[in-house]
Amino acid sequence: DPVKIDDSETKDNVYFPEVWEEEDERKPRRGVSFTLSGIAGTNNSRSQNRIGPMKSPSLTLAPKETGIEETSTKSSYGIPLSFGAGVRFDLSDRWSIGTGVNYTLLTRQFHGKYTKINEAGAIESSTSSDIRNTQHYIGIPVNAYYDIVENRFMNFYAYAGGTVEKCVSDEYRVLAKDILHKESIKGLQASANLGIGVEFLLGKHLGAYVDPSVRYYFNCNQPKSIRTAQPLMLGFEMGLRIRL
């Protein structure tokens, strides 16, 4: 007589696992991932004649210390550039949170006057010139991510968060005489951002991503820059994400 075989165990052990493996490939888990990024912001030329509402270097008619006086309302701004590294943690199948550290370079050029005051409090020299301002910021971003579409080839997501930054260097170079003047900056710069992103998986542990976003910089009494002249800015971040 033919031998009857119960194929229920075979189905459980052969066919269903293949479906589960395909599902795992379709939705890879990150767990923890590290990012290396570069970010460029907008530089709207229409903002050149606007005066920012935040702090800018200035002198009184009788200056008491060496400093810079801006004598023109026109400024030309360079494109904001940022570089950073971060880490992202999964909270669930779709939610994750990320943080890290960013470096940002801001530049602008304007016409002004550099006045040097000696120890006796008298004016030692005064120079009118084009002046180049360079600002260096270190920041800590925190973002929440929501995965909208995720498969083994790409991940499309939305994110929102904010960043707190500290100006670690504020330099003014007087171009007529190559004089370098530095100012110390108090306080922190806070901003909020909202964006979408897409990550293309290059391998099991490596992906390349682009994150366009819109960001708003709050009035925090920081030096005049493209951020003070144009607080609402567009940003474009590109980078690599390493999955563990």
Side-chain angles (χ1 to χ4, degrees):
D1 293 336
V3 178
K4 295 183 179 181
I5 299 176
D6 185 359
D7 62 352
S8 61
E9 183 178 354
T10 303
K11 290 181 180 180
D12 290 341
N13 293 333
V14 177
Y15 296 104
F16 288 176
E18 290 181 357
V19 175
W20 294 338
E21 289 177 4
E22 183 178 348
E23 180 71 16
D24 289 341
E25 290 182 355
R26 191 163 57 246
K27 285 189 137 188
R29 293 289 296 163
R30 279 183 305 272
V32 178
S33 59
F34 294 93
T35 59
L36 298 174
S37 63
I39 310 168
T42 53
N43 177 24
N44 191 340
S45 60
R46 290 179 299 175
S47 66
Q48 289 185 352
N49 294 330
R50 296 177 58 188
I51 301 176
M54 306 182 193
K55 177 186 175 184
S56 61
S58 61
L59 295 175
T60 62
L61 295 178
K64 296 182 179 180
E65 58 183 17
T66 299
I68 299 291
E69 179 185 4
E70 189 170 349
T71 58
S72 173
T73 59
K74 294 184 179 180
S75 293
S76 59
Y77 299 97
I79 296 175
L81 296 175
S82 298
F83 303 93
V87 61
R88 183 171 162 183
F89 303 93
D90 276 351
L91 301 178
S92 67
D93 288 342
R94 292 187 179 273
W95 286 98
S96 59
I97 189 169
T99 187
V101 60
N102 286 341
Y103 161 78
T104 300
L105 173 67
L106 302 178
T107 60
R108 76 180 179 109
Q109 188 165 315
F110 59 93
H111 192 80
K113 182 169 65 175
Y114 169 76
T115 303
K116 184 176 182 180
I117 307 298
N118 59 25
E119 296 180 356
I123 297 178
E124 181 176 318
S125 63
S126 181
T127 304
S128 293
S129 170
D130 286 337
I131 298 173
R132 182 179 297 123
N133 177 217
T134 304
Q135 300 170 21
H136 304 267
Y137 279 86
I138 299 295
I140 298 178
V142 177
N143 291 304
Y145 298 85
Y146 180 78
D147 296 332
I148 301 173
V149 177
E150 183 177 16
N151 55 45
R152 58 181 174 177
F153 302 109
M154 55 85 70
N155 179 23
F156 178 69
Y157 52 89
Y159 65 96
T163 302
V164 175
E165 297 173 275
K166 172 64 178 178
C167 183
V168 296
S169 177
D170 185 26
E171 300 178 345
Y172 299 84
R173 184 169 293 277
V174 183
L175 302 181
K177 293 188 176 180
D178 196 27
I179 298 171
L180 182 63
H181 172 72
K182 297 182 179 182
E183 292 194 357
S184 60
I185 304 301
K186 298 180 180 180
L188 300 172
Q189 174 66 65
S191 61
N193 64 281
L194 179 68
I196 58 174
V198 59
E199 177 186 1
F200 300 96
L201 302 182
L202 306 178
K204 184 177 180 181
H205 299 290
L206 181 65
Y209 70 92
V210 291
D211 285 0
S213 65
V214 59
R215 181 179 297 271
Y216 184 80
Y217 292 91
F218 299 101
N219 187 335
C220 298
N221 195 33
Q222 293 297 289
K224 185 177 178 180
S225 69
I226 185 65
R227 294 173 170 180
T228 67
Q230 182 182 302
L232 185 64
M233 299 175 60
L234 297 177
F236 190 80
E237 177 177 347
M238 300 180 63
L240 295 175
R241 182 169 289 122
I242 304 170
R243 301 166 180 258
L244 298 183

